[in-house]
Amino acid sequence: MEMKKRKWMGNKYFFMTIIVLLITLLSGIFFYQDHVKAIALQPRSVYTVKTYEKSAGLKEPPAIELTDGVLYEQEIIMVSSQINGISLEIDNSDGQSEGELKVALFKKGELYPVQEWGYDVSQFKDKGFCSFAIGQEYSVKAGDHYIITVQVHNEGKSPIKLQQAYRGGITSGFYANGIDVEGFTLAYQINNGTCNAIKYFYIMILVLSMLGMVCICTMLIRNSSIERVVFSTILFFGGIFIIVIPPYAVPDEGTHFVTAYAQSNYLLGKEVLDDDGMVNGDLGAGTYITRSEIPTASTYSQYARGLFGKTDDFTYANITLRTPTELRQLGYVPQVLGISIGRLAGANATQIFFLGRLFALLAYAVIMYCAIKIMPFGKIILFMVGILPMTLQQAVSYNYDSVLNGTLFLMISFLFYLIYQKERVCWKDILILIGLSCIVIPIKFIYLPIVGLGILIPKDKFGGKWKKVIAAFTIAGSGLLIILFMRLQTIINATSASGRHSGGITSGLDFYSVSYCITHPLESFKVFFQSIAQNISFYIESVVGSSLGWFDIEISGLIIIGFVFLLLVSSLQEEYDCRLSKKQRGVIGVIGLGTSTLILLTFLIAETYIGSETIIGVQGRYFLPILPLILVSIQNKTIILKKNITKMLIICASILEIATIMEITKQVICR
């Protein structure tokens, strides 16, 4: 009878997997036919200049109305060895613009154009990039300057408009009759070939997603341990996340990459910084400057080509990257190893970037395996938090959150292990906690209160009350010394208000400080309250991953609701597994809420100017490390599970992961 029941259970998961695979395959085929095949024929941009409102935090600049008789010139810098055209973003969304647009491409300093084009704008009834093809591949040199000239003839009709962008990166001047249009550039693309590689890219994503589902289902039917299932799930779906979220699509990944690259220079015995404090890069490293932080179909095509060895690199003999962040942190160790191995192996820029991300994912998967293995209860809670879209995005990026989140999850698991499972706490356990603190504190010491879970460890496990007190003081003292050694300047900066925020940008505003909060408690409390009241929905949605990338990849609300539901269900205890008392849940909840308050306070002091209605800069991802504590604290004996549904939760989570991956891919491809 028992054998038949196990077989039926296996069949249930088997049939669920078959249904999911069929739906995924059919929807994938239809999308391929309707969109991917057509998009593959579009020009492939090797460099795009465009302002994306969500990522830049700036309002998109207005389109410029071109005046008859005025010569407009846009200087561009080549980033590849050849091109086959350019694109300009025409704004005729109202359908009223008329006239002829004359465009020419010159090499700077030369009289004769590479090619000239004429375009009847009345044929264009929308807003988007219009391509001007050279007709054949034209050889250029990376770093060379070219000029796009634009003239209009409309004889007094409704003016033609071209979209502008804010100047930045490696964009150059935009001139009207020789006068610099300060702060702006035209929105343009430099093209080379087509996006044909995107067809293979999309098929690869589809196949990998289906293989991941098959692997997970097989492990569940064979009753593999949950830590092994977690390890495989993170590797499969995390590996796909590395691919569908291209380089620099994760916020601030450029800065984090440069810091990891600087540490790689140190590891390989190379000159780390130049005289100006900028990171020295090898040949080809310039590719990292020509990134597209908002991914498009061209980004995917370029990414796929680079992974398979086809890439257009800068050829400068000497290249410098931007200034790095704190070099003493351990949060970049996996990425540094990946970068260094790629550089030693002679990999191209895209492959090196991929290796850094891959090593970050491997480190995170191993840490999560250990965390769930030693977790005495609530393993499914840690599993759910560990594979949320936002968690995986951070885990596969150059952001130090990859190491930080995993380490904090391991710290929580280890503390619960000491509280509820291990019979005797020894000095080796104390040293492990201190070691984990040494990783966490240099990155973000605001999560240190999590160590406070140790007060729930019974004194008998230490051998008496005073031994527990000595152990507590040892851990607390070690943490304090690390903070003073690594973060003393940060603490000093926070004690007084100034006209500078955490990014070091001078402004005419005064910012909150510890002293200001103490002397103005009601005002500070009001900002706290308003932040929670107005943004609680955003915090919950974004901790799951409602807006990935630079807040430009919107995940469907149904997927987010699905993940929230699974998180809540995972927090329910089984009928015969109720371990936590009200007091223990209260202590855990207080630590979770206390850490949340510290997060808000940090951003109040670091980013918020006096007079702001809410705290600035807080995102849901900052609450990921304490989410397991919050879920554990809401466990109760009133709402309990009559049977174990762990396998069903894993299957449902995997389905939502596939839906998330396909949503990301489709959004990016259709741009």
Side-chain angles (χ1 to χ4, degrees):
M1 188 70 181
E2 184 66 24
M3 290 295 293
K4 288 184 178 180
K5 183 178 179 181
R6 289 186 178 181
K7 184 177 181 181
W8 179 84
M9 289 293 288
N11 287 337
K12 179 173 68 172
Y13 298 123
F14 173 78
F15 285 121
M16 283 183 63
T17 303
I18 292 298
I19 292 172
V20 172
L21 293 179
L22 286 175
I23 293 174
T24 303
L25 181 61
L26 289 175
S27 62
I29 291 173
F30 290 144
F31 185 80
Y32 179 87
Q33 293 291 338
D34 294 341
H35 298 282
V36 176
K37 289 177 68 175
I39 292 171
L41 300 176
Q42 294 180 357
R44 176 173 60 87
S45 169
V46 295
Y47 189 61
T48 299
V49 173
K50 178 177 172 61
T51 298
Y52 297 86
E53 182 177 347
K54 287 188 177 181
S55 67
L58 302 169
K59 185 177 180 180
E60 186 176 51
I64 184 172
E65 295 184 350
L66 304 187
T67 303
D68 201 339
V70 176
L71 176 65
Y72 299 91
E73 298 174 286
Q74 174 63 57
E75 186 173 352
I76 64 175
I77 302 175
M78 294 299 168
V79 298
S80 60
S81 58
Q82 57 189 24
I83 64 171
N84 69 347
I86 57 173
S87 298
L88 296 173
E89 187 173 8
I90 296 177
D91 184 0
N92 193 21
S93 51
D94 58 5
Q96 300 300 315
S97 298
E98 298 181 24
E100 183 182 10
L101 188 70
K102 289 190 174 182
V103 178
L105 177 67
F106 292 82
K107 184 174 183 180
K108 189 173 183 180
E110 295 189 358
L111 295 176
Y112 298 100
V114 175
Q115 192 149 336
E116 297 176 294
W117 302 270
Y119 190 89
D120 185 356
V121 182
S122 63
Q123 300 175 4
F124 196 83
K125 301 295 183 182
D126 205 345
K127 176 182 177 180
F129 281 101
C130 175
S131 299
F132 301 88
I134 293 178
Q136 60 182 7
E137 292 181 342
Y138 174 75
S139 295
V140 295
K141 185 178 180 181
D144 281 353
H145 289 238
Y146 281 70
I147 304 291
I148 300 174
T149 63
V150 181
Q151 291 178 294
V152 63
H153 298 285
N154 60 5
E155 299 177 350
K157 298 176 182 178
S158 181
I160 301 167
K161 298 183 286 293
L162 292 182
Q163 183 60 47
Q164 296 182 108
Y166 292 112
R167 199 176 296 180
I170 64 169
T171 56
S172 296
F174 172 42
Y175 306 91
N177 276 347
I179 300 174
D180 189 2
V181 183
E182 294 184 5
F184 293 100
T185 177
L186 287 181
Y188 68 87
Q189 293 178 335
I190 304 174
N191 303 323
N192 182 27
T194 66
C195 291
N196 190 60
I198 204 169
K199 294 191 295 186
Y200 309 104
F201 186 91
Y202 181 76
I203 292 172
M204 178 174 63
I205 298 301
L206 195 60
V207 171
L208 286 176
S209 298
M210 296 171 67
L211 282 176
M213 191 69 191
V214 171
C215 175
I216 293 165
C217 181
T218 301
M219 295 185 73
L220 292 177
I221 292 174
R222 299 178 65 176
N223 293 317
S224 298
S225 63
I226 187 171
E227 57 266 21
R228 292 185 178 181
V229 176
V230 169
F231 184 79
S232 300
T233 303
I234 290 175
L235 283 186
F236 256 109
F237 292 127
I240 300 172
F241 263 68
I242 294 178
I243 301 172
V244 299
I245 301 181
Y248 301 100
V250 180
D252 300 322
E253 191 169 27
T255 300
H256 293 296
F257 165 76
V258 169
T259 304
Y261 200 95
Q263 293 186 359
S264 174
N265 280 346
Y266 183 80
L267 181 64
L268 298 178
K270 298 178 180 292
E271 192 70 29
V272 179
L273 306 174
D274 64 9
D275 294 337
D276 297 322
M278 309 293 279
V279 178
N280 288 311
D282 291 339
L283 293 177
T287 299
Y288 302 119
I289 304 176
T290 64
R291 62 194 180 277
S292 177
E293 292 176 331
I294 304 300
T296 64
S298 290
T299 310
Y300 273 169
S301 180
Q302 193 83 338
Y303 192 22
R305 285 168 54 85
L307 287 176
F308 290 101
K310 296 181 180 180
T311 183
D312 297 311
D313 288 345
F314 262 106
T315 55
Y316 289 142
N318 297 303
I319 192 77
T320 57
L321 309 176
R322 63 174 80 170
T323 305
T325 59
E326 176 60 60
L327 292 175
R328 293 180 293 174
Q329 294 173 353
L330 298 175
Y332 302 107
V333 170
Q335 297 93 323
V336 170
L337 291 176
I339 291 174
S340 300
I341 290 173
R343 294 170 72 182
L344 290 173
N348 66 40
T350 305
Q351 292 166 342
I352 290 174
F353 196 97
F354 177 85
L355 283 172
R357 278 184 164 190
L358 180 61
F359 272 66
L361 174 63
L362 290 172
Y364 177 73
V366 170
I367 293 172
M368 286 300 294
Y369 175 89
C370 297
I372 291 183
K373 186 176 179 64
I374 66 174
M375 188 79 166
F377 64 93
K379 294 177 185 285
I380 190 63
I381 292 177
L382 210 53
F383 170 85
M384 286 296 169
V385 176
I387 65 163
L388 290 175
M390 181 59 73
T391 314
L392 284 184
Q393 173 187 271
Q394 298 305 109
V396 303
S397 75
Y398 276 84
N399 195 306
Y400 43 55
D401 285 356
S402 173
V403 171
L404 176 66
N405 289 339
T407 302
L408 287 168
F409 293 151
L410 180 60
M411 179 183 287
I412 291 171
S413 298
F414 188 67
L415 284 165
F416 280 137
Y417 166 71
L418 296 180
I419 296 169
Y420 297 102
Q421 189 166 328
K422 192 168 185 186
E423 295 181 359
R424 185 85 174 179
V425 177
C426 60
W427 282 106
K428 182 178 72 173
D429 301 317
I430 304 302
L431 291 175
I432 290 174
L433 287 174
I434 293 174
L436 293 174
S437 300
C438 288
I439 298 174
V440 171
I441 291 173
I443 302 175
K444 288 182 181 176
F445 64 86
I446 57 175
Y447 297 111
L448 192 58
I450 290 176
V451 181
L453 288 172
I455 66 175
L456 293 176
I457 303 175
K459 62 179 182 297
D460 295 340
K461 292 190 176 185
F462 291 92
K465 176 182 177 181
W466 290 109
K467 288 187 177 180
K468 179 178 179 178
V469 171
I470 293 172
F473 271 101
T474 301
I475 296 173
S478 300
L480 181 61
L481 287 175
I482 298 170
I483 291 175
L484 293 176
F485 178 71
M486 301 291 292
R487 291 299 182 186
L488 181 59
Q489 189 59 50
T490 303
I491 297 173
I492 293 174
N493 292 339
T495 57
S496 59
S498 67
R500 300 175 65 85
H501 60 55
S502 64
I505 302 174
T506 302
S507 70
L509 300 172
D510 285 331
F511 288 78
Y512 279 91
S513 66
V514 174
S515 58
Y516 187 89
C517 292
I518 294 174
T519 55
H520 299 78
L522 292 180
E523 180 182 335
S524 302
F525 177 78
K526 181 181 177 181
V527 175
F528 259 87
F529 179 79
Q530 289 181 164
S531 298
I532 296 172
Q534 295 182 24
N535 299 326
I536 186 65
S537 177
F538 168 73
Y539 296 156
I540 294 173
E541 293 171 3
S542 60
V543 77
V544 175
S546 59
S547 298
L548 300 177
W550 288 86
F551 298 101
D552 65 298
I553 303 176
E554 300 287 346
I555 304 302
S556 168
L558 287 176
I559 296 176
I560 300 304
I561 291 172
F563 273 115
V564 171
F565 176 76
L566 292 182
L567 286 171
L568 293 175
V569 174
S570 69
S571 68
L572 300 179
Q573 301 175 100
E574 292 182 53
E575 186 174 9
Y576 301 105
D577 193 31
C578 299
R579 304 191 184 191
L580 299 177
S581 65
K582 287 185 179 180
K583 179 181 178 181
Q584 290 171 329
R585 286 190 285 110
V587 171
I588 294 170
V590 167
I591 291 174
L593 292 176
T595 307
S596 300
T597 302
L598 192 56
I599 292 170
L600 292 171
L601 179 62
T602 299
F603 278 91
L604 176 68
I605 295 171
E607 299 289 346
T608 308
Y609 60 88
I610 298 173
S612 174
E613 293 185 358
T614 59
I615 298 173
I616 297 173
V618 181
Q619 301 172 27
R621 62 189 174 98
Y622 301 121
F623 299 99
L624 278 172
I626 59 171
L627 187 54
L629 296 181
I630 295 173
L631 293 172
V632 167
S633 68
I634 64 175
Q635 289 184 337
N636 58 84
K637 297 180 181 180
T638 303
I639 305 176
I640 57 176
L641 297 173
K642 289 292 185 180
K643 63 178 182 179
N644 189 306
I645 60 171
T646 296
K647 290 184 178 181
M648 184 62 68
L649 291 175
I650 293 174
I651 288 287
C652 291
S654 300
I655 293 172
L656 291 177
E657 286 291 355
I658 292 178
T660 302
I661 288 167
M662 299 312 296
E663 180 107 347
I664 296 171
T665 308
K666 290 175 181 179
Q667 280 195 42
V668 174
I669 285 177
C670 289
R671 284 175 173 162

